[in-house]
Amino acid sequence: MIDYSEFLNESIVGVKPSGIRKFFSIAEEMENVISLGVGEPDFLTPWHIRRTAIDYLDRGATRYTANAGLLALRKEICAFYERKYDVEYNPVSEAMVTVGGSEGIDMAVRTLISQGDEALVVEPSFVCYKPIIETCGGKAIPLVTRQENNFKLTAEEIERAVTDRTKLLVLPYPNNPTGAVMRKEELEKIAKVIIKHDLFVISDEIYSELTYGGERHCSVASIDGMQERTVVINGFSKTYSMTGWRLGYALGPAPVIAQMTKLHQFAIMSAPTNSQYAAIEALKNGDGDIEKMLEEYDMRRRFTVNAFREIGLDCFEPEGAFYIFPCIKSTGLSSDEFCERLITEKRVAVVPGNAFGDCGEGYIRVSYCYSIENIKAAIERIGEFVKEIKG
């Protein structure tokens, strides 16, 4: 018998599987399950975007593109960021197209983190940052955000965590799983500490267009002194309901983007060609689609928050993304126990909060990017479950 442990990379073996996918997989194998677990919009990709992809397939647009992506797409991405967030980038040297935002995060971390480097990671947050940092030989240092502070990062927390080995800050706002948003005045405060300690930033802005309350997203790259020390990650999955198209992008200083593109060249070659043509159409003519989806998400957001409060679970009101992060400590169950029993007893799938960092214990993540009918049915079952638990 072969001892495969002798061949496997220890840093990969040591990575825990995604806590999100665990419950998604369980739900797939059970009948009559309502899943509010995965952050995948229930909207179809808008027809004019799909039609563009079909047209380009008919024209035979099936070859590789440049490694960094179609220049026409990079121009539209840069125009989008200038128009929406008042940040200018050179599409030739400061932009690259990736296979989803996830690949952009991977390329950025692998380009910036060396053996022994420390990276500050806001938590709770998306599941991929820490494993990628650790497989690069770095150390992920959690910056714990709390409900009493609206899950926002403060300058004081960065200051306390910085050491002489700190190189990078991962800044994921609007936040998955909490829905927290950092406003301009709050970013300006943390920018002073970032610049003081000469840190680099990966700003994951994949939910940038999904912000509520009338105040638009502010990119940290728009803050004085930050563009030259920030790689922005964004994409099309959430904003345009294009999850399966697997398309994202990175914007940043030319020397960093050049190295990320080189790594991308060897690992990926280029992002899907047809998806890139569809993305050009999305950026040119998709603002109306965003507004329609945002209006629907906002309705679902307000309904879901109120419904969870009515069944007796404390719930922070999110300002962005499409998740709520209810506190389930009053039930006496751990996050894992709550989710395992909920899917077994009531056939509802949600994600334990500790999948997003240890500080998420006592919370669950619930996605409201599903139909309002599914949300209502799921909350009715969750309400029954909570009532039974509390007696």
Side-chain angles (χ1 to χ4, degrees):
M1 292 286 292
I2 295 176
D3 181 1
Y4 290 102
S5 65
E6 296 293 324
F7 296 90
L8 299 174
N9 184 327
E10 290 182 2
S11 64
I12 304 297
V13 173
V15 172
K16 295 180 181 178
S18 167
I20 301 174
R21 287 291 161 180
K22 172 185 174 182
F23 284 87
F24 180 71
S25 298
I26 293 172
E28 282 190 319
E29 296 174 2
M30 299 175 71
E31 294 182 359
N32 192 32
V33 171
I34 302 173
S35 177
L36 302 182
V38 180
E40 181 164 29
D42 67 321
F43 300 103
L44 285 175
T45 304
W47 169 242
H48 67 101
I49 299 173
R50 288 181 281 146
R51 183 186 61 210
T52 298
I54 293 167
D55 288 346
Y56 273 94
L57 276 177
D58 283 344
R59 297 182 204 178
T62 57
R63 297 180 178 275
Y64 295 127
T65 69
N67 294 133
L70 291 167
L71 181 57
L73 175 54
R74 284 179 278 151
K75 287 180 177 178
E76 289 298 333
I77 290 167
C78 293
F80 179 85
Y81 253 75
E82 183 175 3
R83 173 167 58 92
K84 292 278 190 172
Y85 311 126
D86 198 29
V87 192
E88 295 184 29
Y89 289 98
N90 183 328
V92 175
S93 60
E94 296 180 327
M96 64 177 288
V97 181
T98 60
V99 181
S102 297
E103 193 226 337
I105 295 165
D106 184 31
M107 296 295 106
V109 171
R110 287 206 272 163
T111 295
L112 293 167
I113 290 294
S114 301
Q115 188 75 32
D117 288 338
E118 291 180 356
L120 307 180
V121 181
V122 173
E123 289 189 355
S125 65
F126 186 49
V127 296
C128 78
Y129 311 124
K130 182 179 178 181
I132 297 172
I133 291 163
E134 292 178 345
T135 55
C136 291
K139 184 177 181 181
I141 308 296
L143 294 178
V144 175
T145 61
R146 296 174 175 82
Q147 184 172 347
E148 55 265 31
N149 195 36
N150 295 326
F151 294 109
K152 296 175 186 283
L153 177 63
T154 67
E156 292 75 18
E157 286 162 342
I158 301 174
E159 193 74 66
R160 285 194 295 268
V162 169
T163 73
D164 58 1
R165 308 196 84 162
T166 308
K167 179 187 280 188
L168 179 67
L169 167 66
V170 178
L171 192 65
Y173 289 96
N175 183 269
N176 170 14
T178 66
V181 168
M182 294 283 286
R183 302 301 184 183
K184 183 176 181 180
E185 61 274 14
E186 294 157 344
L187 291 171
E188 288 173 337
K189 290 177 182 177
I190 69 169
K192 292 177 182 178
V193 181
I194 292 166
I195 293 168
K196 171 186 172 182
H197 291 287
D198 193 27
L199 304 182
F200 214 87
V201 175
I202 295 176
S203 182
D204 185 351
E205 302 181 15
I206 193 71
Y207 296 98
S208 61
E209 285 296 285
L210 302 182
T211 58
Y212 310 100
E215 188 174 345
R216 306 297 300 198
H217 169 73
C218 178
S219 174
V220 71
S222 70
I223 306 299
D224 288 347
M226 290 304 299
Q227 185 173 356
E228 59 263 38
R229 60 177 66 248
T230 300
V231 171
V232 170
I233 305 296
N234 210 322
F236 299 86
S237 294
K238 316 300 183 180
T239 301
Y240 300 101
S241 195
M242 294 177 66
T243 52
W245 300 75
R246 303 315 303 133
L247 206 68
Y249 55 88
L251 300 165
V256 179
I257 294 297
Q259 298 307 312
M260 289 175 61
T261 304
K262 181 171 65 178
L263 188 57
H264 167 86
Q265 178 186 69
F266 290 120
I268 303 295
M269 180 64 76
S270 60
T273 301
N274 205 43
S275 298
Q276 293 189 53
Y277 283 110
I280 293 172
E281 170 64 19
L283 290 168
K284 282 184 174 180
N285 299 306
D287 282 5
D289 303 309
I290 296 171
E291 292 303 319
K292 289 177 184 177
M293 286 188 274
L294 185 64
E295 183 178 349
E296 176 68 19
Y297 287 140
D298 193 20
M299 179 275 291
R300 297 177 189 178
R301 174 183 72 100
R302 288 181 278 110
F303 174 85
T304 308
V305 169
N306 290 335
F308 267 83
R309 289 173 176 172
E310 287 177 1
I311 64 176
L313 296 180
D314 181 31
C315 189
F316 163 73
E317 184 170 343
E319 297 180 337
F322 42 51
Y323 309 101
I324 64 168
F325 204 56
C327 180
I328 51 92
K329 294 176 183 178
S330 62
T331 66
L333 301 178
S334 71
S335 294
D336 282 332
E337 288 170 341
F338 186 98
C339 294
E340 288 170 3
R341 287 189 58 180
L342 181 64
I343 195 169
T344 301
E345 297 174 25
K346 298 297 179 180
R347 295 296 196 267
V348 175
V350 296
V351 181
N354 57 3
F356 306 94
D358 291 341
C359 61
E361 178 55 56
Y363 293 83
I364 58 173
R365 190 193 76 172
V366 178
S367 173
Y368 55 86
C369 65
Y370 298 89
S371 72
I372 193 69
E373 292 77 19
N374 272 2
I375 293 170
K376 287 179 177 179
I379 291 174
E380 184 177 347
R381 296 183 189 184
I382 295 170
E384 293 172 357
F385 177 70
V386 170
K387 187 176 181 179
E388 291 168 8
I389 292 298
K390 291 185 175 182

